[in-house]
Amino acid sequence: MHPSWKTALGSEFKKPYFQALVNFVRQERATTTVYPPSGAVFAAFNATPLDEVRVLILGQDPYHGRKQAHGLCFSVLPETLAPPSLQNIFKELRSDVGCPIPTHGHLLKWAEQGVFLLNSVLTVRAHAAGSHRDQGWETFTDAVIRLLSDRDRPMVFVLWGRYARDKASLIDAEKHVVVESAHPSPMSANKGFFGSKPFSKVNVALEMFGGRPIDWRL
C-alpha cells in the first residue's frame, strides 16, 4: 500500500475487526484458492496515491475466475479476456465519448490518472462470488470512502448498481459530484447503465473543479 494511504488509514489496521479480517483471509488462503493474489490485494492503493485521487469508481467484490482479479475493480490483466461487465463498460465508453473498444481490459491507465478503482470487498474465494463479504472488508472500505469524502478537495464518486449506490450516504454530496446508474452487468446494463454517460459526466465535473479531464482511452 502506498505510504499516503498507509498513514491515513493506520488507525483502521489496529482495530479488532481488521485483525479478525486478516486472520480470516489468512485461513482462507491456507485452505482454498483466494483472488487476487496476496501481493495484489491493495493494488488500487498503490496505483493511485491518496493525494492523486480525483475519481472513485466503486465495485463490489473481485472477479472470482482464474487470472482475472488483480486488485483494481472491473479491471483484468492485459492477457485476460474482458468479462461481460467490463465489455459493457467499454460499449458505454464508445457511445459516450467515442473511445474505440479497447483490445484489453487492463484499466491501469485510468488509475494512473487519478481514478481510484476500489472494490468494497478486496478478496474472494475462487469461483464463489460474494464469499468474503461480511468479514470486515466493507467496514474498511467504508472508512476509505469517508476519508475521501472528508477531504477539502472535491472529487467525483461513480456508483454503479444498487450495492454501490447504497454507499451514497457516506459521501458529502454538497462538496462532491456523485454519478449514479444501474450496474454494467448483463443483467442490468439495459436498465439504466447504457446511455447514462458516466465518462463525460466525470470529465465535466473535473473541469468544473478546475482539473484536467480523464483520457479514457486505453
Side-chain angles (χ1 to χ4, degrees):
M1 183 178 287
H2 189 274
S4 61
W5 285 109
K6 191 176 294 185
T7 299
L9 295 168
S11 62
E12 293 299 311
F13 301 136
K14 299 174 184 177
K15 293 180 179 179
Y17 86 86
F18 196 87
Q19 297 303 313
L21 171 62
V22 169
N23 291 334
F24 167 76
V25 175
R26 184 180 292 125
Q27 180 62 26
E28 284 282 280
R29 289 195 187 278
T31 57
T32 188
T33 300
V34 172
Y35 298 128
S38 57
V41 171
F42 294 109
F45 297 82
N46 279 314
T48 315
L50 175 58
D51 294 341
E52 296 178 17
V53 175
R54 302 190 290 140
V55 181
L56 167 68
I57 296 179
L58 184 65
Q60 296 185 28
D61 52 353
Y63 296 125
H64 53 82
R66 184 172 177 269
K67 292 187 176 181
Q68 290 183 317
H70 67 104
L72 306 182
C73 76
F74 293 108
S75 180
V76 292
L77 293 173
E79 66 273 14
T80 303
L81 180 68
S85 290
L86 185 54
Q87 292 179 31
N88 286 338
I89 289 170
F90 289 159
K91 290 176 183 176
E92 179 62 19
L93 180 66
R94 179 177 60 187
S95 172
D96 183 8
V97 295
C99 287
I101 298 291
T103 58
H104 62 85
H106 194 209
L107 305 183
L108 181 61
K109 184 181 176 184
W110 295 0
E112 292 174 340
Q113 296 179 75
V115 181
F116 185 43
L117 298 168
L118 178 69
N119 276 314
S120 290
V121 176
L122 300 188
T123 56
V124 68
R125 192 182 307 149
H127 314 301
S131 51
H132 284 190
R133 293 180 188 174
D134 301 321
Q135 297 293 334
W137 279 128
E138 296 93 337
T139 303
F140 175 71
T141 53
D142 282 0
V144 172
I145 295 169
R146 290 192 190 96
L147 171 66
L148 291 170
S149 178
D150 288 345
R151 296 189 308 170
D152 292 334
R153 179 182 180 179
M155 58 175 286
V156 188
F157 292 82
V158 180
L159 309 178
W160 288 331
R162 185 178 64 183
Y163 183 89
R165 296 169 85 172
D166 284 346
K167 303 293 185 179
S169 61
L170 305 174
I171 301 164
D172 182 352
E174 294 186 2
K175 182 194 311 180
H176 307 287
V177 170
V178 180
V179 175
E180 300 183 50
S181 76
H183 194 274
S185 80
M187 293 182 290
S188 57
N190 287 315
K191 299 177 182 178
F193 176 74
F194 288 139
S196 63
K197 300 186 180 300
F199 306 100
S200 58
K201 288 178 180 177
V202 166
N203 281 348
V204 167
L206 291 176
E207 291 178 322
M208 179 181 68
F209 297 150
R212 69 189 187 281
I214 303 297
D215 180 358
W216 297 106
R217 295 171 297 178
L218 294 175

